[in-house]
Amino acid sequence: MTRLLAALPALAILLALPRAAEAAPSTADSLFEQGKEAMGRGDLAVACTRFEESLRLEHAVGTMLNLGACEEKSGRLVAAIDHFTAAGAALAKDDFRVGYVRERLDALSARVAHVTLAGNRPVRASLDGRPVLRPSWGSPIPVDPGPHVVLVTDEASNAVLSRVELRLGEGERRAVDLTPPGPPAPAKPAGGEVSSTRRTLAYVTGGTGLAAIAVGAVTGIMTIDAATTVKEQCPSSVCRDQQGMDAAATGRTTSIVSPVAFGLGAALTGLGAYLFVTSAPGGGRTGVAPSVAPTHAGLSLVTSF
């Protein structure tokens, strides 16, 4: 009898334990209530965190609905769609909350933005740091309104090929070409400007050459005239008067100037012709080649079309 009386307090404690466990709220329930209180006072960051942790501990439809509502108010539209969709799938068809879920999904679908990645190059792509596999290219990817970054990297070296920064509004859709930009094309000179400059130089050079040839011709004639006068006025190499002496002096000068002017004129005229031919678009390839014959030697202008 004494032993029975001594065991009664311990038995009472054991009988009371299940009731105490049932009365105490679970951690998930406690976090859920904390989330509701935080959302009621507008502290969405704390509220969403509490709902997320409660859902991790206990997969309850009510927690999913409240988490979706918290994420929607926080601008995390894609996450809200995921949780409302999961909650709707878990509800019975006759549950009164089905209509609320459909209403929220319709509203969110109109607000969420979309990014479509397109390309056919062997590259890797990521959206906001998350890889986007090739099978997903070409399909709209739902994203929250706001800033986003698309990064394109080389498959072999993982080197960054391009970085695209986007800012999307609610309901906006944007396509991003994943083809990396090629090396910049070398700058090409303006063909018309170069041709015009070369042609002007051809005219100037050729004109100067013709002028030099004219000088050579004039001085050549002067040399012949001077030689005729000297022959008449200076027999036996002795000039009889001043006219003969002047003619001799003029002849000595012009006999030097004439061949020099002819040579310079010929060279400048040839250069002018070369510049003129090469200034024409598609005028072919032009060059200078040596020309040798039994009676002369010089340079020839050669053009191929």
Side-chain angles (χ1 to χ4, degrees):
M1 187 67 177
T2 304
R3 291 180 180 178
L4 181 60
L5 292 175
L8 285 177
L11 181 60
I13 293 174
L14 290 174
L15 292 173
L17 281 177
R19 294 181 181 178
E22 291 176 1
S26 67
T27 303
D29 290 340
S30 178
L31 289 168
F32 177 78
E33 293 299 327
Q34 293 175 28
K36 289 178 63 177
E37 292 174 3
M39 193 158 65
R41 64 175 182 266
D43 193 348
L44 297 178
V46 172
C48 292
T49 302
R50 296 294 187 271
F51 287 138
E52 287 173 354
E53 184 62 17
S54 176
L55 185 63
R56 187 185 68 82
L57 296 174
E58 184 179 341
H59 204 71
V61 175
T63 306
M64 280 190 284
L65 292 173
N66 280 272
L67 177 56
C70 183
E71 290 168 335
E72 180 180 2
K73 291 182 179 180
S74 302
R76 296 159 56 189
L77 307 186
V78 175
I81 289 176
D82 290 342
H83 286 115
F84 278 123
T85 301
L91 291 174
K93 293 182 179 180
D94 58 350
D95 194 299
F96 72 95
R97 294 172 291 183
V98 171
Y100 169 74
V101 171
R102 290 175 180 171
E103 177 187 330
R104 298 321 316 142
L105 286 175
D106 289 342
L108 288 166
S109 297
R111 296 178 57 196
V112 74
H114 290 84
V115 175
T116 302
L117 306 183
N120 55 7
R121 295 287 297 276
V123 295
R124 292 192 181 96
S126 65
L127 176 60
D128 298 328
R130 297 187 300 274
V132 181
L133 301 182
R134 190 176 294 271
S136 298
W137 295 7
S139 300
I141 302 172
V143 294
D144 295 329
H148 299 278
V149 176
V150 176
L151 205 63
V152 181
T153 56
D154 182 74
E155 283 190 341
S157 64
N158 207 35
V160 176
L161 300 177
S162 64
R163 173 188 173 93
V164 181
E165 297 184 1
L166 309 170
R167 178 171 290 276
L168 303 177
E170 291 189 1
E172 185 176 358
R173 293 175 177 266
R174 191 83 62 87
V176 177
D177 186 4
L178 298 179
T179 304
K188 295 182 179 180
E193 182 178 342
V194 172
S195 298
S196 177
T197 302
R198 185 181 287 265
R199 183 161 297 188
T200 301
L201 186 58
Y203 289 144
V204 173
T205 305
T208 304
L210 292 176
I213 291 175
V215 171
V218 171
T219 53
I221 294 173
M222 293 175 62
T223 302
I224 295 173
D225 289 344
T228 301
T229 302
V230 169
K231 186 176 180 180
E232 294 175 352
Q233 301 296 330
C234 304
S236 302
S237 300
V238 178
C239 296
R240 293 178 297 185
D241 54 19
Q242 187 63 37
Q243 182 181 4
M245 296 176 63
D246 292 341
T250 300
R252 284 193 295 271
T253 303
T254 56
S255 64
I256 296 174
V257 172
S258 180
V260 172
F262 268 121
L264 180 61
L268 291 176
T269 303
L271 179 59
Y274 168 78
L275 293 174
F276 181 82
V277 172
T278 57
S279 68
R285 298 190 313 177
T286 305
V288 178
S291 175
V292 179
T295 58
H296 71 275
L299 299 176
S300 300
L301 192 64
V302 180
T303 302
S304 61
F305 297 90

